Amino acid sequence: MQLSDLSVRRPVFSAVIAILLCIVGVVGYLSLSVREYPDTDPPIVSVETIYTGAAASVVETRITQLIEDAVAGVQGIRTITSTSQDGTSDISIEFDPSRDIDTAANDVRDRVGSVVEDLPEEALAPEIRKVDADARPILYLSFSRPGWSEIQLSDYIDRNIADRFSAIDGVARVTIGGEARPSTRVWMNAERLAAFGLTPADVENALRTQNVELPAGRFESKDQNQTLRVERPFATPDEFAQLVVGRGANGYQVKLGDVARIEEGAENPYSSFRSNAGTAIGLGIVRQSGANTLEVADKAKALVEQLRPNMPQGMRVAVGSDESLFISRAIDNVYDTLLEAALLVILVIFLFLGSVRATIVPAITVPICLLATCAVMWLLGLSINLLTLLAFVLAIGLVVDDAIVVLENVYHRIEQGEDPLVASYLGTRQVGFAIISTTLVVCAVFVPVMFLAGQTGLLFRELAVAMIAAIAFSGFISLSLAPMLCSKLLNNAERGRLARWVDARFQRLEGRYSRWLDHVLRKPLLPLIGVGLFLALAGGMFTLLPNELAPAEDTGVVDSQISAPEGTGYDRMLAYMRKIEAALAPLREDGTLQNLVVRTPAGFGTSDDFNSGNVIAFLRPWEDRTITTAEVATIINKVIAEQPGVRGNAAPRSGLGRGRDPDHHGRGRRRARPRPRSRGRRLRPGRAGRGA
């Protein structure tokens, strides 16, 4: 074996290689992003178009079908999912996992741009977004202040808070729940309009033409130049009341105040966001794809503490949901398991070998292989998550195997009287082929996992890569660093008292096993029957095991989607949600819930339908409660079932959910063409020639 021969003859070479692997591994480990699970969602591009006042059937024919037909030819499409509802068209385009999301979004943007002129003039320009699993906020902040209305809260958050969080490195966007932008609302009196011979269109034209600020040229002189402008904007209800909207039959100037009631109100009055039974504004921090969840959350929470002294007196900020806590706790537990596994492996090696010097050789192999694996993960764009850490835990027992084979053979030759240098040289050569073959065999076991299709393949691909890299490096280290360390550390010293005591116990166990094995070989029928019965029992029990992609976890967050019959008004839906909020108040009062968010309608987007809502329950930290997230979800489901007129479902939040945009959570969808005053969903498979 040339590698082992070179390592024994040139010990500095093997040591430098190992040090370089450690340095690159440390750099890779510090650069890896931290997630709960690998990114399992394929590239998804969404197209949202607002057509205020249009029925679902009109939105379907005038907008959705046109955009669908335009984007259908984009390469790499798997499915096109469209939702047409009153006033809104949503189209989600799912691409093959190999498709670059930026290139796919540009292709969709070009295709949509080609049909913009065919869309209704009253419709807003289509909004194209890249949607993935990271669209869900990792941190939810709730802002409230006694005595302030939703408009005042929203205005302050929009002007002073939201942009500060958007500037944090790693933040993709900031979503505002319950946003109520200040605006002026005009309520026209139909009788007065008819009396003056005016129509709502006349009022609209007057507002468009007169509520403007126009350039009026420049004023130039020898001493100075000034830009002139015509200031005609209206800001207060009293100013709007003086706006002239037309003339009566006798030449009377009809002002807006004569035919309408003007008041200040929210731009979207049909939105409610309540936190702990009080008016609040929610701020959701959405991280960028690939960003470190823990770092982004820590920076956001540090910014909250920085902003507290400068906030208005009495304003409260509550951390409603913090996904970084669960991820941090879960990963810390895996790190503890990783350390325990390493210590147990080293202890077992010491008990069998009985030498501290011999134990050092495989013990050094473990951290070097794991650090080198981190470097490979960094180069491949992977992340530290529960599955890659699971791969590390499994790899600890495998990466020491090759080093133990080399160590045991070299140690045996030293006990036979050979010099440590000669024993390392010849002993490694003797088992080199076996190490290479076993390393390749174990790696080959995980290669098929990398080619699994669907979400399962995306989920376990990083685990397979981590296992293959760790095992491959273990084979390399066992043929390079391990023989060099054996030549420098091992000697034919007499075993200690503990080693002799352990050897005596193992020899006694070995004798019992030999006698039992002789008995089995003389009468092989009985053990064969036992093995057959065991396999039959195991096969029967396997068929009874439940199937699921991932086990349920106590995440501390329960998401509830509430829906009412189609056509339910905003006030009626708000009354339904208030009843549910009141029924869940005991959970908050007894300390089970840390924060209870009730949102009407569901999502952050605007819609002409109000028959949906969200209830999000954030539980207290694990050490401060005895009830589980699943038990709280059961209680909430019971409360929802007892409410007449609504239906819904509550479930613990999972990190493996589909990565849809949270703006669309809770919207009812059906696999049918939409009808007037209804919502519809169409699922179109990818056509031939589009990579489907």
Side-chain angles (χ1 to χ4, degrees):
M1 296 298 295
Q2 295 183 356
L3 180 60
S4 60
D5 297 348
L6 179 63
S7 300
V8 174
R9 291 197 305 265
R10 300 288 187 268
V12 176
F13 168 78
S14 59
V16 169
I17 294 296
I19 293 173
L20 288 177
L21 288 176
C22 292
I23 293 175
V24 177
V26 170
V27 173
Y29 173 77
L30 297 177
S31 303
L32 287 172
S33 61
V34 181
R35 300 170 57 99
E36 182 181 358
Y37 288 105
D39 187 4
T40 59
D41 287 291
I44 299 174
V45 177
S46 67
V47 182
E48 181 179 11
T49 309
I50 304 297
Y51 190 10
T52 304
S57 58
V58 176
V59 173
E60 168 72 11
T61 56
R62 298 289 303 278
I63 295 178
T64 304
Q65 288 186 1
L66 295 178
I67 297 178
E68 277 186 343
D69 294 337
V71 303
V74 177
Q75 181 182 2
I77 291 180
R78 276 191 169 183
T79 58
I80 300 177
T81 308
S82 65
T83 304
S84 297
Q85 55 184 335
D86 292 350
T88 307
S89 169
D90 292 320
I91 301 175
S92 293
I93 306 141
E94 180 180 325
F95 292 86
D96 291 329
S98 59
R99 191 80 156 88
D100 181 68
I101 183 64
D102 295 321
T103 305
N106 291 333
D107 292 343
V108 172
R109 191 173 291 109
D110 294 339
R111 295 299 185 96
V112 173
S114 64
V115 297
V116 169
E117 296 181 354
D118 299 331
L119 302 180
E121 295 182 359
E122 298 81 4
L124 300 181
E127 184 177 353
I128 301 171
R129 290 178 293 184
K130 294 176 288 186
V131 182
D132 55 13
D134 304 324
R136 188 173 68 191
I138 63 170
L139 182 66
Y140 220 108
L141 305 175
S142 177
F143 292 81
S144 61
R145 185 181 188 275
W148 276 23
S149 64
E150 294 181 353
I151 296 178
Q152 292 173 304
L153 277 172
S154 179
D155 183 59
Y156 179 81
I157 298 300
D158 186 47
R159 289 188 293 107
N160 300 284
I161 302 296
D163 291 341
R164 298 288 299 272
F165 286 95
S166 299
I168 295 178
D169 186 25
V171 173
R173 64 189 179 103
V174 176
T175 58
I176 302 178
E179 185 177 21
R181 292 176 177 269
S183 64
T184 301
R185 308 191 70 82
V186 179
W187 302 91
M188 288 178 282
N189 189 315
E191 296 179 356
R192 287 180 173 270
L193 284 174
F196 287 109
L198 299 176
T199 64
D202 297 329
V203 178
E204 181 181 359
N205 292 332
L207 288 171
R208 291 183 182 276
T209 57
Q210 297 188 47
N211 187 28
V212 293
E213 183 175 344
L214 301 174
R218 291 173 57 85
F219 176 81
E220 299 181 358
S221 66
K222 294 182 180 180
D223 297 330
Q224 62 180 351
N225 297 330
Q226 291 184 348
T227 300
L228 302 180
R229 61 180 181 177
V230 179
E231 293 187 359
R232 293 168 55 186
F234 298 85
T236 64
D238 293 336
E239 293 178 353
F240 273 100
Q242 301 302 317
L243 185 146
V244 178
V245 296
R247 291 184 180 272
N250 56 356
Y252 173 76
Q253 287 186 345
V254 182
K255 299 179 180 179
L256 185 59
D258 297 332
V259 296
R261 174 171 54 90
I262 304 103
E263 63 181 15
E264 290 183 351
E267 181 178 344
N268 177 24
Y270 306 112
S271 177
S272 172
F273 186 94
R274 293 172 61 81
S275 175
N276 286 341
T279 300
I281 297 295
L283 208 65
I285 311 299
V286 182
R287 72 173 179 85
Q288 295 176 355
S289 179
N292 191 316
T293 302
L294 301 182
E295 289 184 2
V296 173
D298 290 341
K299 291 179 181 178
K301 287 182 283 189
L303 180 58
V304 170
E305 299 302 324
Q306 181 181 348
L307 293 175
R308 283 186 189 274
N310 300 323
M311 289 182 180
Q313 186 177 3
M315 178 168 283
R316 296 190 295 266
V317 184
V319 178
S321 172
D322 186 2
E323 290 194 359
S324 66
L325 290 179
F326 178 77
I327 298 175
S328 177
R329 294 286 186 90
I331 290 180
D332 288 343
N333 290 335
V334 178
Y335 277 132
D336 294 340
T337 304
L338 192 64
L339 180 61
E340 294 169 359
L343 293 178
L344 289 175
V345 167
I346 294 173
L347 177 62
V348 171
I349 294 173
F350 173 74
L351 291 177
F352 274 88
L353 297 180
S355 171
V356 176
R357 288 173 172 264
T359 307
I360 293 176
V361 177
I364 292 179
T365 303
V366 174
I368 295 177
C369 292
L370 296 184
L371 287 175
T373 303
C374 290
V376 174
M377 294 169 55
W378 175 47
L379 294 175
L380 296 179
L382 307 184
S383 62
I384 294 178
N385 52 69
L386 295 180
L387 291 180
T388 52
L389 290 178
L390 172 63
F392 285 176
V393 175
L394 297 176
I396 286 178
L398 298 176
V399 297
V400 297
D401 289 348
D402 295 335
I404 290 176
V405 171
V406 172
L407 174 66
E408 195 278 333
N409 196 51
V410 172
Y411 194 77
H412 176 71
R413 297 180 73 96
I414 292 176
E415 287 183 330
Q416 298 299 321
E418 289 188 359
D419 182 76
L421 184 64
V422 176
S424 300
Y425 185 89
L426 298 178
T428 308
R429 268 180 164 267
Q430 191 174 9
V431 297
F433 180 78
I435 290 175
I436 294 176
S437 60
T438 54
T439 300
L440 293 178
V441 167
V442 177
C443 289
V445 172
F446 295 94
V447 169
V449 180
M450 299 180 61
F451 299 98
L452 289 175
Q455 189 181 31
T456 305
L458 296 173
L459 184 63
F460 291 99
R461 193 165 298 165
E462 295 191 12
L463 181 145
V465 171
M467 289 295 297
I468 292 173
I471 295 170
F473 279 114
S474 72
F476 174 78
I477 294 297
S478 64
L479 294 177
S480 57
L481 184 64
M484 186 274 289
L485 292 176
C486 290
S487 66
K488 301 298 182 182
L489 296 178
L490 298 185
N491 53 32
N492 194 11
E494 184 180 355
R495 288 175 174 264
R497 181 180 303 176
L498 176 63
R500 292 195 301 271
W501 183 85
V502 173
D503 285 344
R505 298 304 180 275
F506 278 125
Q507 288 175 2
R508 187 180 305 173
L509 180 63
E510 182 181 356
R512 294 177 181 175
Y513 172 73
S514 299
R515 291 191 297 272
W516 182 81
L517 183 60
D518 293 339
H519 178 72
V520 169
L521 293 177
R522 289 193 300 269
K523 299 180 179 180
L525 182 60
L526 185 61
L528 290 178
I529 294 176
V531 171
L533 292 176
F534 175 78
L535 292 178
L537 179 62
M541 296 180 66
F542 175 78
T543 59
L544 300 177
L545 289 175
N547 299 324
E548 58 182 358
L549 180 61
E553 296 176 311
D554 189 357
T555 58
V557 182
V558 179
D559 286 325
S560 307
Q561 312 297 331
I562 315 297
S563 61
E566 295 287 347
T568 301
Y570 173 73
D571 293 336
R572 173 60 63 183
M573 190 65 202
L574 191 61
Y576 288 148
M577 299 303 293
R578 293 291 174 86
K579 289 182 180 179
I580 296 176
E581 181 182 23
L584 295 176
L587 290 177
R588 180 174 54 84
E589 295 170 355
D590 64 11
T592 300
L593 301 183
Q594 179 175 276
N595 196 6
L596 182 66
V597 171
V598 179
R599 189 167 54 198
T600 313
F604 295 95
T606 59
S607 173
D608 291 343
D609 288 334
F610 314 115
N611 65 323
S612 63
N614 288 135
V615 176
I616 309 177
F618 303 111
L619 280 68
R620 291 191 175 275
W622 295 268
E623 61 273 9
D624 297 337
R625 57 181 168 90
T626 57
I627 191 171
T628 64
T629 305
E631 293 172 345
V632 173
T634 302
I635 296 174
I636 297 177
N637 278 323
K638 183 178 180 181
V639 169
I640 296 174
E642 294 174 350
Q643 302 301 320
V646 298
R647 61 180 181 179
N649 179 62
R653 179 173 292 180
S654 172
L656 291 177
R658 292 282 299 186
R660 298 300 186 189
D661 194 329
D663 291 3
H664 308 305
H665 285 180
R667 298 184 179 180
R669 297 180 177 181
R670 295 193 297 271
R671 293 178 181 270
R673 294 181 63 87
R675 296 169 293 183
R677 298 299 304 166
S678 67
R679 301 176 181 182
R681 181 183 187 184
R682 298 196 305 158
L683 184 63
R684 297 176 52 179
R687 296 178 181 174
R690 296 185 296 153

